[in-house]
Amino acid sequence: MKAIFPGSFDPITNGHLDLANRILRFADKLVIAVLLNSSKQSLFTIEERIDLIGQATNHLHNVEIKCFSGLLVDFAKQEQAQIIIRGVRNYIDLEYELLMTRVNSQLAPEIETVFLYAKQEHLHISSSAVREMVVLGADISTMVPGCVKSAIISKTKDQ
Ligand code: PNS
């Protein structure tokens, strides 16, 4: 079974990484799909985000990192993936995810969406919290892989 794990990944966090590990317990192949969204202001460029995901997942087998634009279900079909995986931390996530799932399943009923509940220790982690914490000088060591910590510190220093 091939799974798509889509997101903005600006940047990838330990929460995302844990999900990637857990997906590989039941999927044979995993495509981490980074949304190319020119209208959304991002900290890292698409190339930087892909590079950081590559570094953070280089110990994992059967993982590909790709970018996509347009509809997620079209990308999933193009990749011949059967499932889309999304992480859920709380009811706010769930509400948004249910809406996306409804739209995606209307568009492509053959593709299933699977939710994975985040581990307790990752419930407070989000890419936006990581970006904000760095700017405010907080330690993000427990929230992101080492390669991301170095990259985000040097990036925010330049700004
Ligand atoms: O990490 P994010 O920002 O929560 O990821 C959101 C993402 C990329 C999964 C979502 O925005 C998406 O699938 N965008 C592609 C456009 C699409 O297919 N929209 C229809 C579903 S509402």
Side-chain angles (χ1 to χ4, degrees), residues 6-9 16 33-35 37 40 68-73 86 96-97 99-101 103-104 107:
S8 304
F9 301 102
H16 293 128
V34 188
L35 178 67
N37 186 351
K40 198 169 161 185
F68 77 102
S69 55
L71 286 174
L72 174 58
V73 288
R86 292 286 289 169
Y96 171 65
E97 295 304 330
L99 190 70
M100 276 215 302
T101 302
V103 173
N104 287 336
L107 294 168

Side-chain angles (χ1 to χ4, degrees), residues 11-14 43-44 52 55-56 130 134 138-157:
I12 186 166
T13 66
N14 286 342
L43 177 63
F44 289 102
L52 288 171
Q55 290 182 54
V130 167
V134 166
D139 183 18
I140 53 160
S141 306
T142 60
M143 299 172 87
V144 292
C147 58
V148 171
K149 183 181 170 185
S150 320
I152 200 168
I153 288 173
S154 66
K155 169 136 309 218
T156 46
K157 236 187 256 162

Side-chain angles (χ1 to χ4, degrees), residues 73-74 76-78 81-84 104-113:
V73 288
D74 287 345
K77 283 188 215 167
Q78 188 189 308
Q82 293 81 29
I83 53 172
I84 292 169
N104 287 336
S105 65
Q106 288 280 335
L107 294 168
E110 70 279 20
I111 299 173
E112 290 291 349
T113 297

Side-chain angles (χ1 to χ4, degrees), residues 34-52:
V34 188
L35 178 67
L36 186 58
N37 186 351
S38 51
S39 64
K40 198 169 161 185
Q41 182 85 33
S42 60
L43 177 63
F44 289 102
T45 65
I46 189 86
E47 292 81 12
E48 289 168 334
R49 282 181 273 157
I50 287 173
D51 179 57
L52 288 171

Side-chain angles (χ1 to χ4, degrees), residues 2-6 31-34 64-81 84 111:
K2 188 171 183 179
I4 300 266
F5 179 26
V31 177
I32 301 181
V34 188
E64 282 182 291
I65 304 142
K66 297 192 174 176
C67 70
F68 77 102
S69 55
L71 286 174
L72 174 58
V73 288
D74 287 345
F75 180 69
K77 283 188 215 167
Q78 188 189 308
E79 287 295 314
Q80 296 180 311
I84 292 169
I111 299 173

